[in-house]
Structure formats: C-alpha cells, structure tokens
Amino acid sequence: KRIDPTVQGLAGESEWQHTRADRSRRQMSDKATVVVDASTRPEFPGPMGFLSSAWDNRQLIRRLTRRQIESRYKGSLLGVLWAFIVPLMMLAVFTFVFSVVFKIRWGVDVEGRGQFALVLFAGLIVFNLFSHCVTQAPTLMLLHTNLIKKVVFPLEILPWTVLAEGVFNAVISYVVFFAVYFPVLGCPPATSLLLPIILIPLSIFLLGAIWILASLGVYVRDLSQGVAVVATMFLFLSPVFYPLTAVPPEFRVIIYSSPLTSVIRDVRNVLFWSEIPHWGFWLASMIVAWIVAWLGFAWFIKTKRGFADVV
C-alpha cells in the first residue's frame, strides 16, 4: 500500500517531537530528583532549628502524643484515671515510709505530715518528669524501626512526644498535688504562678538529652540499662526526700551537680515559702539548656542517616 510522502513526513516529525518531549521530561525528572536530594541533605541546624522543626510538624506531634497517651491506658478498666491514682498511691507510700518509718523531719518550716507529704511530692514530680524522659530515650528509635526503614518520616520529632507525655503526667500529678494542698494548707501563695516558668529550662534540657540518648541508643544497646541506674542515682543525689540543709557542707557540691537540685529547690520555694527564684541563675540555666537542646538536635540530625543500617 502506497503511503503519501507528506503524511509520512508528518508522522516522522510527530514521532521526533514525542521523543524529544519524553527526553525533556526525563531530564526535568532527573533535575527534580537532584533538587529533592539536596534539600534533604542533613546540615548543621541553627539555634532555632529544633523549634522550627517542631512548629512545622506540630499537627503530627500532637497526634502522636495523643495516640501514645491513649495507648498507655487503652484496655484498662479505669482508663485515664490511673494517671490520678498512681500519684496518690506514690504520695501515700512515700509519706508513710519517710515520715513514719524513717521519721525524717524537714525542719521548722514544715509542720505536720500533711505538709511534709506535699513538700516531698513536689520534688518527686520533678524527678518523675526527668526519669520518664531519660529512661524512655535510649529505646525510642528501636521502638519505631518501621518508621526508620519503610517510611520517609521526620524522626527528630519523636523526642517531642516523649517530653509531651512526661509533661502530661507532671500536669496530672500537680492537679493531685493542689487537690491535697487546698484542704491541708489553704490557698497557695501568689508565687506558685511561677511554677511553669521554673520548669521551662528543665524541659528544654531534657529535650536535648532525649535527642542525644535516642541517637546513642541505636548504636549502644546497653545504654538503656546504664541510664536507668543513673536515674536512680539522681533520685537520691537530689533533694527529693531531704532538705539541702541536711547535707553536710563538704558534700553539697555533689548534690548541686545534679540538674534537678536547683529546680526542686525553686519549685518548693514558690509553692510553700513565697520566695521568688533568682532570675540571673534562671537565665543562666535557660542558656545552658538551650545549648544542650541545640547541640542534641544537631547531633541527632547528623547521626540519623546511619539508623537504617544499624536497626
């Protein structure tokens, strides 16, 4: 069958145009791939990098935190009521052990077992926030290996969920604390409104510690056991069960080396004795905590590239 040369020429030109268009699309696709790879290449973040990352993923952080809290109490008969029952049980047990069995006396500023229990509980809440964050961190990545291997996921937001869960537990504990405070001691002083501000440096410091421990926990599997021992040491090397005045002066430097000591002291001062914290020391603590969080975030971003090869 004879083909018109004009038609054949048009067909050849059309085929050449399609081939050229396909080649152009492939080149654009290759260029787009290069751009995406370059944008995802880890770089040293700025001082505000960990905050901007959290803000960009705030919806995801909120959903993950909510799911984590709900899964903790899912299937239990009392559900979220356990968040109130556990602090009450701890308060009762520690009060009995330290005020009845060991007969510890706080000093002239604390009168009666009711106030002793509240003073003890105020320090215990701070320690529980610290302990929850540092003990959960080493196994954080190992519990989310599916996100490391199969999904493109911002792993750096997972420490935020650990901190958020710890803060949630602390808030519930403080609700129980003030529920006992009012009938025992009456209305708390106005300085108690400073309580959230006092806890900000500790929270930022814990965030940086979680990033560091979560990254190291991928490569050093024994880290979780060591951190649990260190957390228990901080329980007794911080003024949780005793006042600072009970420590001999030559050993107080050991107690002050704990990151919890100044926080517990300031928390008790604003809740019971109407003392305003030293703002210069608070600002210094804030700067140190920010540096720890910044370096911890940068370390995590730098090391997370090797997670998939290890887990």
Side-chain angles (χ1 to χ4, degrees), residues 279-295:
W279 294 117
F281 185 81
W282 181 90
L283 180 60
S285 300
M286 188 71 177
I287 294 174
V288 172
W290 199 280
I291 293 174
V292 171
W294 175 24
L295 296 180

Side-chain angles (χ1 to χ4, degrees), residues 12-297:
E13 183 179 356
S14 177
E15 182 180 357
W16 177 81
Q17 290 176 349
H18 282 298
T19 303
R20 182 179 181 183
D22 292 340
R23 188 183 302 112
S24 299
R25 282 195 294 268
R26 286 196 298 269
Q27 290 176 352
M28 292 177 62
S29 177
D30 293 341
K31 291 181 180 178
T33 304
V34 172
V35 171
V36 171
D37 290 342
S39 65
T40 57
R41 186 177 299 158
E43 296 179 355
F44 195 85
M48 303 295 291
F50 65 95
L51 289 182
S52 60
S53 173
W55 177 257
D56 294 338
N57 298 281
R58 59 189 181 279
Q59 301 292 344
L60 183 57
I61 293 174
R62 183 169 64 249
R63 288 196 297 267
L64 288 174
T65 303
R66 181 177 179 180
R67 187 181 67 178
Q68 192 165 338
I69 294 174
E70 290 176 348
S71 63
R72 177 179 293 271
Y73 304 105
K74 186 177 180 180
S76 60
L77 294 177
L78 300 179
V80 74
L81 288 177
W82 280 110
F84 295 90
I85 296 174
V86 172
L88 281 173
M89 295 175 62
M90 292 175 59
L91 177 61
V93 170
F94 280 112
T95 302
F96 172 77
V97 171
F98 288 96
S99 66
V100 178
V101 178
F102 291 140
K103 296 182 179 180
I104 295 178
R105 295 294 179 264
W106 205 269
V108 295
D109 295 330
V110 177
E111 299 178 357
R113 289 178 183 170
Q115 187 175 4
F116 176 86
L118 291 172
V119 170
L120 188 69
F121 195 41
L124 195 60
I125 295 174
V126 176
F127 170 78
N128 286 339
L129 173 61
F130 169 82
S131 177
H132 170 82
C133 292
V134 299
T135 56
Q136 294 286 327
T139 58
L140 181 60
M141 294 298 108
L142 301 178
L143 295 176
H144 295 86
T145 54
N146 57 324
L147 300 178
I148 296 175
K149 291 184 174 182
K150 299 180 180 179
V151 185
V152 178
F153 184 86
L155 297 173
E156 60 272 11
I157 71 170
L158 292 177
W160 283 99
T161 64
V162 176
L163 178 63
E165 185 181 4
V167 171
F168 171 80
N169 294 333
V171 170
I172 297 299
S173 297
Y174 276 117
V175 170
V176 174
F177 173 86
F178 284 109
V180 178
Y181 191 105
F182 279 99
V184 174
L185 299 177
C187 184
T191 53
S192 61
L193 297 175
L194 299 174
L195 179 62
I197 299 177
I198 294 174
L199 295 177
I200 290 176
L202 176 63
S203 301
I204 297 176
F205 172 83
L206 288 175
L207 193 58
I210 296 171
W211 273 314
I212 295 173
L213 294 175
S215 174
L216 292 176
V218 176
Y219 302 99
V220 184
R221 301 301 175 90
D222 296 336
L223 187 63
S224 58
Q225 286 79 10
V227 169
V229 174
V230 173
T232 305
M233 292 172 58
F234 275 120
L235 175 62
F236 296 100
L237 293 178
S238 304
V240 177
F241 303 121
Y242 51 84
L244 283 171
T245 54
V247 182
E250 61 270 21
F251 295 108
R252 288 181 187 177
V253 63
I254 300 176
I255 306 302
Y256 275 105
S257 63
S258 168
L260 302 178
T261 298
S262 59
V263 180
I264 294 174
R265 179 199 59 199
D266 290 341
V267 165
R268 285 170 174 158
N269 286 340
V270 300
L271 289 176
F272 298 101
W273 299 296
S274 303
E275 295 183 13
I276 298 177
H278 190 280
W279 294 117
F281 185 81
W282 181 90
L283 180 60
S285 300
M286 188 71 177
I287 294 174
V288 172
W290 199 280
I291 293 174
V292 171
W294 175 24
L295 296 180
F297 181 73

